């Protein structure tokens, strides 16, 4: 089963169970990053340090995205579309020189 089909089946299951969730998608990047544009993950309020399904690359970026998605879900902003621009070096301190 392809990742796309699996992703959509998981969304269908969550909707059928009436579970609120967030979809996090990498839409663009400059330079190198843990994943390519199009990488996505599903997060629920119960997600801890890993997504319910999928990945956007792991590490600090993924943990930041999970925590941010959980905040939106907790404040009932789950039907909100939000776009963020992050610099992996300065915003998340991913590169140590």
């Amino acid at each position: 089963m392809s990742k796309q089909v699996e992703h959509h089946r998981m969304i269908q299951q969550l909707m059928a169970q009436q579970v609120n969730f967030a979809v996090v998608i990498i839409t663009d990047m400059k330079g190198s990053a843990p994943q390519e544009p199009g990488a996505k993950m599903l997060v629920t309020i119960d997600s801890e340090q890993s997504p319910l399904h999928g990945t956007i690359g792991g590490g600090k970026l993924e943990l930041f995205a999970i925590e941010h998605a959980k905040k939106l879900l907790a404040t009932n902003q789950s039907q909100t579309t939000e776009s963020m621009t992050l610099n992996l070096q300065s915003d998340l301190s991913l590169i140590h020189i």
Side-chain angles (χ1 to χ4, degrees), residues 1-17 21 40 42 52-53:
M1 177 180 340
S2 76
K3 289 181 184 181
Q4 289 287 64
V5 170
E6 191 175 338
H7 178 80
H8 288 285
R9 284 191 179 161
M10 183 64 71
I11 288 174
Q12 288 175 332
Q13 288 176 354
L14 291 169
M15 291 175 73
Q17 297 168 0
F21 62 93
K40 59 182 136 289
L42 298 174
L52 175 68
H53 177 72

Side-chain angles (χ1 to χ4, degrees), residues 6-60:
E6 191 175 338
H7 178 80
H8 288 285
R9 284 191 179 161
M10 183 64 71
I11 288 174
Q12 288 175 332
Q13 288 176 354
L14 291 169
M15 291 175 73
Q17 297 168 0
Q18 297 183 344
V19 174
N20 290 334
F21 62 93
V23 180
V24 179
I25 304 172
I26 301 287
T27 58
D28 191 23
M29 67 172 222
K30 291 182 176 67
S32 63
Q35 284 280 3
E36 297 292 320
K40 59 182 136 289
M41 66 180 182
L42 298 174
V43 177
T44 66
I45 197 75
D46 295 327
S47 298
E48 293 189 13
Q49 292 188 354
S50 60
L52 175 68
H53 177 72
T55 184
I56 59 166
K60 289 182 180 182

Side-chain angles (χ1 to χ4, degrees), residues 85-95:
T85 300
L86 296 172
N87 181 305
L88 298 181
Q89 183 175 4
S90 61
D91 295 333
L92 300 176
S93 303
L94 288 181
I95 300 172

Side-chain angles (χ1 to χ4, degrees), residues 43-86:
V43 177
T44 66
I45 197 75
D46 295 327
S47 298
E48 293 189 13
Q49 292 188 354
S50 60
L52 175 68
H53 177 72
T55 184
I56 59 166
K60 289 182 180 182
L61 173 63
E62 190 158 288
L63 186 57
F64 173 85
I66 289 169
E67 292 302 318
H68 187 74
K70 286 173 60 174
K71 285 178 190 173
L72 291 175
L73 290 167
T75 58
N76 212 16
Q77 296 181 27
S78 57
Q79 294 185 8
T80 300
T81 299
E82 185 172 322
S83 177
M84 300 179 91
T85 300
L86 296 172

